[in-house]
Amino acid sequence: MSESQNTLGHALEPYTPAEIAKRVETAGVAKARMAAPQILMLAVLAGAFIALGGMVFTLVMTGADSAVGIDRLIGGIAFSLGLILVVVAGAELFTGNNLIVIAWADRRISTFELLRNWGLVYLGNLAGAFAMVALAALAGVPDIGGGAVGATAAKIAQHKLALPFGQALVSGILCNLLVCLAIWMCFGARRVTGKVLCIVFPISAFVALGFEHSVANMYLIPAGLIAESGLGHALANLGGFLGNLVPVTLGNIIGGGVLVAVVYWVIYRQGRPGT
């Protein structure tokens, strides 16, 4: 085999887990020190992208024969659109940015820099998701199928609002364990097709299992409440919305920041800062 073929073969090989850990850490430093306007704009895009995934998921689940099994799997594949757009097109997503913890654990960024990124990204994601709620309503998405899509959206929202705090917390942990593993594997892929495949399986799994994603809920809950009884109904349920978002967000941080970032930091990066 020629030297050029060896070089090409190496370029197509995925990064090793140790190399992924280093790449995630380096990316975390860059994300934490990005200018605020850039962070906010990219975060708004991520909120909109995840909302688009939620929109397609709602449509796919409308008229499904059952709420479990293959229907949920297909819905999960449809929802994968959101993270594919985030990763390939480029955007800042709060749940994925929980991986910045690995740079913080290596003391390459400060606690302030970590929390600054999370705060700005969370607000931007919220703005992007809310914008898509409004645009979907204006475009008549809930009216598709004679209002059937709106009825499905309302059902999804009511299910989320009914979750007890503890269940929402644990569901958020399991969700972002899968989301951050998807992002982690994307850092190991060298081609767009590889990144897409790394995303589809974990994301379709978390959706099929009914786990809770904070940014997705920023769209799904308001969209469902508005589809059910209008904006006033959504505002009246603000407490319930926050009652879901708080435990789910905390769970997402634990799932991604601790169970993925900290665990892999201990395995691959502890004692090797900057190497």
Side-chain angles (χ1 to χ4, degrees):
M1 185 178 291
S2 68
E3 183 177 343
S4 61
Q5 287 175 317
N6 281 327
T7 302
L8 178 60
H10 177 72
L12 296 177
E13 290 179 0
Y15 292 96
T16 67
E19 290 172 329
I20 292 172
K22 184 176 181 179
R23 296 187 76 223
V24 170
E25 181 180 305
T26 300
V29 174
K31 287 174 178 288
R33 294 175 182 167
M34 192 183 298
Q38 187 179 5
I39 292 175
L40 285 169
M41 291 178 69
L42 288 168
V44 170
L45 285 176
F49 291 162
I50 296 299
L52 284 170
M55 206 180 298
V56 179
F57 166 75
T58 305
L59 174 68
V60 169
M61 293 308 297
T62 300
D65 294 332
S66 69
V68 295
I70 193 66
D71 294 328
R72 292 290 290 268
L73 179 62
I74 294 171
I77 293 170
F79 182 81
S80 299
L81 167 70
L83 192 60
I84 291 171
L85 289 172
V86 168
V87 170
V88 179
E92 292 292 303
L93 180 65
F94 171 76
T95 46
N97 281 17
N98 288 164
L99 287 174
I100 294 176
V101 166
I102 199 169
W104 172 82
D106 244 356
R107 299 183 180 180
R108 294 191 61 192
I109 62 170
S110 66
T111 301
F112 172 77
E113 288 174 317
L114 174 70
L115 296 179
R116 168 184 173 272
N117 177 274
W118 283 0
L120 290 172
V121 170
Y122 198 84
L123 290 174
N125 289 170
L126 191 65
F130 280 4
M132 292 306 295
V133 171
L135 291 173
L138 291 171
V141 172
D143 301 326
I144 296 173
V149 170
T152 301
K155 184 179 178 180
I156 292 170
Q158 290 302 331
H159 169 75
K160 292 179 178 297
L161 292 175
L163 290 174
F165 186 99
Q167 184 177 346
L169 175 72
V170 175
S171 187
I173 292 172
L174 293 172
C175 168
N176 215 30
L177 171 65
L178 287 165
V179 171
C180 283
L181 284 173
I183 297 292
W184 186 273
M185 291 190 296
C186 283
F187 273 93
R190 294 180 184 263
R191 302 170 72 97
V192 170
T193 50
K195 294 178 187 292
V196 170
L197 287 172
C198 286
I199 290 168
V200 169
F201 290 100
I203 301 308
S204 59
F206 105 65
V207 175
L209 290 164
F211 296 151
E212 295 289 301
H213 187 276
S214 56
V215 181
N217 288 2
M218 293 174 185
Y219 169 79
L220 291 169
I221 294 176
L225 291 173
I226 290 173
E228 183 177 21
S229 299
L231 180 60
H233 180 58
L235 293 174
N237 280 274
L238 180 61
F241 174 53
L242 294 176
N244 173 274
L245 213 55
V246 168
V248 170
T249 300
L250 291 174
N252 288 167
I253 291 172
I254 295 169
V258 178
L259 298 186
V260 180
V262 170
V263 168
Y264 277 128
W265 172 76
V266 171
I267 295 169
Y268 292 115
R269 302 298 300 161
Q270 189 175 24
R272 310 179 197 58
T275 61

